């Protein structure tokens, strides 16, 4: 902790003495408590608590490093790493072991594999990058939400603690003058902070979902804390007469930031200057006297709150997801939130009791002790989850898909397949259900991808036909089947899919998501229009989610008619009418809550995990567009996806959908012979 005595030199006078700011403990405790309170009672809103936490973390580390650089003392990097991770890793390990247990006992089994991957990622302090890779957004809690998404901030902090000390180490090695070292250190910190802020501003506008977790976009918040440390070391703080006002204003900025901004979509962009700026004001206004927040922030209750805030932060989120999973609810009541809060406090206290002795033993000895306990904690957390995930993969690979599995079981021409899957566990296993999707990132554009991603399936030369295959995530779900068809026919398929973006007119009104995402989608459509008009293709194949409706419709036109016209505007970009348009009717849609039915093997066997066919099959404007466009054809595979009266979530022993909306990769591959037959018939 650090205290600035108001009686020392005037605020702009440069003097180096030891500093101690008692307000830091209270500020950090308030910041992390705000995160917990907003998670439990904020109805999905995100506070600025994590931003304050990162700023304080940057302040404390760089304050220490800056003093060492200025005094010419050894940096003690190994000791810093050892001391830091000996504190952070053991409590985190207990939480991660608990989450591994809950992944098998309570959390949704179709999220098990993903949860285990995240346990390993969190243990290795790369959870933020795992969330970006998995396209998991930060938002309100629910049964389908990652129980470890809050570990992203700990990963960012740990990466900073690991990497940033290497900067002064490099300066010490390459610069011999102490004064030059000090100037280089602060100059490089300022440049890096400004560059990170500019990057965060740009990325927050382009892809807020990824920017939220991005370490490079978050660095500026830690860097500003470091720059404030430089001001404190130089005694360039707020004038004594202004400290009470500045301190209260800063504290108010921290507290209200979650009410003013939607942090989940606006941080770490410029809006984050509100909580970060508040933290800066509090630090620079420390020791402001009886009229300032000093007495509050240095009080025993807030110091105690700071003492449990880390554990409270670790435990509250997995316990919240636990309650929501058990109650199968997307929101928690105030009573439930109080129960989760009380349980989190209890788990935190138990964690402190269990770890007090080993932590004291590790941190009071040589650095090797601290490193050892940190590494042991990381292994204890990661090894069980990694082993369990490997076992799931091995068990899944042992299951083969028979020739009658999936769609053939509904084929009236193959009566021998009608009883396929009876009495057997459905495939894929529930553990891997959410991951049963094609892995073709070079064909699939996501939020933040500025250009279309087009990949070639099948032979790249000597092919008989060349098809353009375009659509949204429902199109991408069929990509492995497309690859098999292309190889079988000796044709080339140029596949281009984009998340949440159907191939319709580029002027289609916004549907959802940030403005930047809508702009990216419109640009993608325009790019596909140009590709379709190139004349390089023998046919164009397309499909899209039947939930893709566009509003508002022009006056005098229904939403359905408007959607049909938007489809036709895109199709008119083909080189000529001689190029057939092949539109695949969308797959059946199930309510996401129906996934719980798959947990009951008897219900699956009795065919109860189903809905009426007319509810599952929704129109997306394709039939109407086909009827109005010359040489356009509808490929309808519903008779091998659904029974005549009802659509079942398990067909021929294969689970049809991984989330209610998208086909599983396994079931999509069982559609291959039927899709191939229609494509070859219509194109030949």
């Amino acid at each position: 902790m650090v205290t600035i005595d108001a009686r020392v030199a005037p605020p702009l006078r440069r003097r180096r003495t030891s500093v101690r700011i008692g307000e830091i403990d209270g500020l950090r405790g308030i910041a992390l408590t705000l995160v917990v309170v907003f998670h439990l009672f904020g109805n999905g809103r995100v506070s600025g608590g994590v931003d304050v936490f990162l700023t304080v973390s940057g302040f404390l580390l760089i304050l220490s490093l800056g003093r060492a650089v200025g005094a010419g003392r050894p940096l003690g990097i190994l000791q810093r790493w050892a001391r830091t991770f000996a504190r952070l890793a053991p409590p985190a390990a207990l939480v991660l072991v608990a989450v591994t247990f809950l992944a098998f006992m309570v959390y949704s089994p179709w999220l098990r594999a993903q949860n285990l991957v995240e346990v390993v990622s969190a243990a290795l302090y790369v959870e933020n990058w795992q969330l970006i890779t998995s396209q998991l957004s930060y938002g309100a809690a629910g049964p389908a939400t990652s129980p470890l998404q809050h570990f992203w901030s700990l990963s960012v902090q740990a990466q900073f603690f690991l990497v940033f000390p290497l900067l002064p180490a490099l300066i010490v090695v390459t610069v011999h003058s102490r004064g030059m070292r000090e100037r280089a250190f602060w100059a490089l910190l300022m440049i890096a902070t400004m560059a990170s802020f500019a990057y965060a501003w740009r990325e927050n506008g382009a892809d807020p979902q990824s920017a939220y977790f991005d370490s490079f976009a978050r660095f500026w918040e830690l860097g500003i804390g470091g720059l404030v440390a430089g001001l404190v070391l130089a005694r360039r703080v707020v004038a004594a007469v202004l400290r009470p006002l500045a301190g209260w204003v800063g504290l108010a900025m921290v507290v209200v930031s979650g009410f003013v901004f939607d942090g989940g979509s606006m941080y770490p962009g410029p809006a984050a200057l509100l909580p970060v700026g508040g933290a800066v004001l509090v630090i620079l206004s420390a020791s402001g006297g009886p009229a300032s927040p000093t007495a509050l922030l240095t009080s025993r209750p807030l110091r105690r709150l700071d003492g449990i805030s880390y554990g409270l932060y670790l435990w509250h989120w997995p316990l919240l997801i636990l309650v929501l999973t058990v109650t199968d609810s997307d929101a928690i009541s105030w009573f439930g939130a109080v129960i989760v809060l009380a349980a989190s406090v209890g788990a935190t206290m138990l964690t402190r009791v269990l770890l007090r002795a080993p932590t004291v033993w590790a941190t009071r000895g040589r650095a090797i002790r601290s490193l050892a306990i940190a590494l042991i904690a990381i292994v204890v957390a990661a090894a069980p989850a990694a082993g369990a995930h490997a076992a799931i993969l091995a068990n899944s690979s042992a299951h083969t898909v028979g020739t009658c599995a999936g769609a053939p079981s509904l084929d009236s021409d193959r009566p021998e397949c009608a009883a396929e899957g009876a009495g057997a566990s459905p495939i894929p296993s529930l553990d891997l259900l959410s991951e049963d999707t094609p892995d073709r990132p070079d064909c699939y554009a996501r939020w933040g991808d500025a250009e279309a991603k087009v990949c070639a399936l099948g032979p790249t030369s000597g092919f008989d036909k060349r098809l353009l295959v375009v659509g949204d995530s429902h199109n991408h779900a069929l990509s492995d089947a497309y690859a098999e068809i292309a190889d079988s026919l000796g044709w080339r398929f140029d596949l281009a899919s984009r998340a949440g973006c159907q191939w319709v007119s580029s002027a289609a009104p916004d549907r959802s998501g940030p403005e930047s995402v809508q702009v990216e989608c419109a640009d993608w459509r325009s790019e596909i229009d140009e590709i379709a008009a190139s004349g390089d293709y023998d046919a164009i194949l397309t499909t899209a989610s039947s939930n893709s409706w566009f509003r508002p419709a022009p006056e005098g036109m229904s939403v359905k008619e408007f959607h049909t016209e938007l489809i036709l505007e895109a199709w008119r970009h083909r080189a000529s009418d001689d190029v057939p348009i092949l539109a695949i009717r969308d797959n059946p849609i199930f309510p996401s809550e129906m996934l719980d039915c798959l947990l009951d093997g008897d219900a699956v066997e009795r065919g109860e995990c189903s809905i009426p066919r007319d509810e599952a099959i929704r129109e997306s404007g394709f039939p109407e567009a086909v009827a109005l466009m010359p040489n356009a054809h509808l490929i309808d595979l519903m008779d091998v996806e659904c029974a005549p009266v009802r659509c079942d979530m398990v067909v021929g022993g294969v689970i049809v959908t991984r989330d209610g909306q998208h086909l599983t990769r396994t079931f999509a591959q069982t559609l291959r012979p039927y899709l191939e037959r229609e494509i070859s018939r219509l194109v030949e």
Side-chain angles (χ1 to χ4, degrees), residues 312-540:
L312 198 61
Y313 181 82
L314 289 175
W315 280 107
H316 82 283
W317 189 259
L319 292 178
L320 173 59
I321 303 303
L322 170 66
V323 170
L324 293 177
T325 302
V326 170
T327 60
D328 193 23
S329 173
D330 288 324
I332 193 168
S333 66
W334 275 70
F335 177 74
V338 170
I339 296 298
V340 171
L341 181 59
S344 302
V345 172
T348 298
M349 295 304 185
L350 180 60
T351 299
R352 295 185 64 172
V353 170
L354 292 174
L355 295 178
R356 181 178 292 120
T359 300
V360 169
W361 174 84
T363 54
R364 287 185 179 176
R366 298 173 59 189
I368 192 67
R369 275 192 192 179
S370 299
L371 282 178
I373 198 171
L375 291 174
I376 290 171
I378 290 171
V379 171
V380 166
H389 188 264
I392 289 173
L393 293 178
N395 183 57
S396 176
S397 63
H399 294 291
T400 57
V401 180
T403 57
C404 279
S409 69
L410 295 176
D411 187 349
S412 58
D413 294 331
R414 299 188 64 182
E416 73 278 10
C417 294
E420 181 70 18
S425 298
I427 53 175
S429 66
L430 295 182
D431 307 85
L432 291 171
L433 184 59
S434 65
E435 295 186 356
D436 197 46
T437 182
D439 183 22
R440 297 182 182 274
D442 54 333
C443 313
Y444 191 44
R446 300 178 182 268
W447 286 16
D449 292 330
E451 298 178 352
K453 291 186 175 182
V454 185
C455 67
L457 307 178
T460 56
S461 62
F463 45 82
D464 296 327
K465 302 284 185 182
R466 186 178 182 185
L467 275 65
L468 176 63
V469 187
V470 297
D472 58 11
S473 57
H474 288 223
N475 184 60
H476 185 66
L478 293 165
S479 59
D480 282 358
Y482 292 147
E484 292 181 7
I485 294 171
D487 288 332
S488 173
L489 296 175
W491 296 358
R492 171 174 167 171
F493 284 13
D494 287 352
L495 176 62
S497 301
R498 186 175 187 88
C501 190
Q502 182 182 355
W503 183 40
V504 295
S505 168
S506 59
D510 293 350
R511 231 173 22 99
S512 62
E515 182 180 352
S516 60
V517 173
Q518 298 301 327
V519 171
E520 290 170 359
C521 182
D523 291 343
W524 179 84
R525 290 168 177 155
S526 297
E527 195 170 346
I528 297 301
D529 290 344
E530 294 179 9
I531 296 172
S534 66
D536 295 334
Y537 297 99
D538 297 290
I540 299 175

Side-chain angles (χ1 to χ4, degrees), residues 628-651:
L628 295 171
M629 174 67 70
N631 199 12
H633 312 274
L634 184 67
I635 296 178
D636 189 346
L637 303 178
M638 281 302 155
D639 286 343
V640 288
E641 294 182 270
C642 293
V645 178
R646 299 182 70 83
C647 291
D648 203 307
M649 297 187 75
V650 179
V651 171

